[in-house]
């Protein structure tokens, strides 16, 4: 009887180890996946984040990372699917909408892109990249006055005080370029010319 008892304890301990003691650590996998993202090893990143999802189907950050990796590989539908899952998990907000908005904008789904950018701006109202993206969506929807409002706000924001939301030099020039296009469409040639001159001064691509 004593032998059977010890055998039962040994088997139980083995099951506990198999359940909780084996397999890669999710945090370690997440760090590994991030390292792959930074080194642009998209396939390896996807493998790491897929393993996290296998053990935690509501891991919003892993879904976001998968969305980014798939978008870099040109798999926009898979990217959207992962951003959708991140939002459905209930643990994602703001940045996921911005990421999904970027994909929708690239796919020409301007109305949905504008909606996602608006949700991001409800949380981070000074996100230059989001204002920039929504302005592009509005331009393509013919909502020129709304585009100009976003571009005005983005242009007057202090780029050096908002850290990670700072736009690249090329895109800062594009803010003026887009606004010049909007003013041109609205019949404001003076403002359009001033903006294109500013764009050209910032980056030669707009000259």
């Amino acid at each position: 009887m004593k032998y059977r008892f010890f055998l039962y304890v040994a088997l139980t301990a083995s099951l506990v180890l198999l359940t909780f003691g084996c397999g890669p650590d999710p945090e370690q996998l997440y760090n590994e996946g991030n390292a792959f993202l930074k080194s642009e090893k998209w396939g390896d990143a996807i493998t790491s984040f897929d393993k996290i999802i296998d053990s935690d189907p509501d891991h919003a950050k892993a879904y976001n990372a998968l969305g980014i990796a798939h978008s870099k590989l040109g798999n926009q539908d898979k990217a959207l699917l992962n951003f959708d899952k991140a939002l459905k998990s209930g643990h994602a907000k703001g940045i996921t909408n911005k990421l999904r908005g970027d994909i929708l904008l690239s796919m020409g789904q301007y109305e949905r892109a504008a909606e996602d950018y608006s949700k991001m701006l409800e949380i981070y109202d000074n996100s230059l990249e989001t204002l920039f993206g929504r302005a592009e969506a509005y331009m393509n929807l013919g909502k020129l006055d709304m585009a100009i409002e976003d571009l005005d706000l983005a242009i007057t924001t202090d780029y050096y005080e908002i850290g990670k939301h700072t736009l690249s030099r090329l895109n800062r020039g594009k803010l003026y370029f887009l606004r010049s296009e909007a003013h041109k469409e609205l019949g404001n040639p003076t403002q359009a010319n001033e903006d294109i001159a500013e764009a050209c001064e910032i980056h030669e691509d707009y000259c």
Side-chain angles (χ1 to χ4, degrees):
M1 178 67 76
K2 187 180 291 186
Y3 171 76
R4 288 181 180 177
F5 171 75
F6 284 124
L7 179 61
Y8 171 77
V9 171
L11 287 170
T12 302
S14 297
L15 286 171
V16 170
L17 284 172
L18 284 171
T19 304
F20 300 104
C22 299
D25 175 59
E27 185 176 353
Q28 180 183 344
L29 279 172
Y30 187 78
N31 292 336
E32 179 184 271
N34 269 338
F36 285 136
L37 283 181
K38 290 177 181 177
S39 59
E40 301 185 0
K41 296 179 180 178
W42 314 121
D44 291 332
I46 288 170
T47 299
S48 294
F49 293 120
D50 274 340
K51 289 178 182 176
I52 296 173
I53 297 302
D54 287 342
S55 60
D56 183 2
D58 291 326
H59 201 296
K61 288 183 177 180
Y63 283 124
N64 277 345
L66 280 168
I68 292 169
H70 280 298
S71 70
K72 294 294 185 180
L73 289 172
N75 302 325
Q76 308 295 40
D77 289 337
K78 288 184 178 180
L80 283 179
L81 179 63
N82 279 286
F83 293 139
D84 289 344
K85 288 180 177 179
L87 289 166
K88 287 178 183 177
S89 74
H91 304 297
K93 59 181 179 179
I95 187 62
T96 306
N97 291 108
K98 193 269 178 188
L99 291 168
R100 189 172 67 177
D102 290 343
I103 300 297
L104 292 168
L105 184 68
S106 72
M107 297 174 73
Q109 297 188 38
Y110 304 120
E111 196 72 54
R112 289 184 62 196
E115 289 174 5
D116 266 336
Y117 289 135
S118 294
K119 289 176 182 176
M120 169 68 167
L121 289 165
E122 288 174 8
I123 301 171
Y124 303 105
D125 60 357
N126 67 348
S127 171
L128 290 184
E129 290 185 356
T130 309
L131 286 167
F132 174 72
R134 190 170 70 174
E136 276 202 82
Y138 284 154
M139 289 282 291
N140 283 283
L141 289 167
K143 299 179 179 180
L144 303 178
D145 288 328
M146 296 173 73
I148 288 174
E149 284 183 24
D150 279 352
L151 294 168
D152 286 346
L153 181 56
I155 286 169
T156 56
T157 301
D158 188 334
Y159 298 100
Y160 299 101
E161 290 185 359
I162 56 179
K164 64 182 179 180
H165 294 300
T166 301
L167 289 175
S168 68
R169 186 172 179 81
L170 180 64
N171 281 343
R172 283 197 287 133
K174 194 170 182 179
L175 291 174
Y176 285 99
F177 177 79
L178 283 177
R179 195 171 69 174
S180 75
E181 292 294 300
H183 280 301
K184 192 185 300 181
E185 289 290 325
L186 290 170
N188 303 323
T190 301
Q191 184 63 60
N193 289 335
E194 289 176 2
D195 279 343
I196 201 66
E198 288 283 353
C200 183
E201 186 175 338
I202 291 171
H203 202 286
E204 61 184 9
D205 279 13
Y206 300 111
C207 297

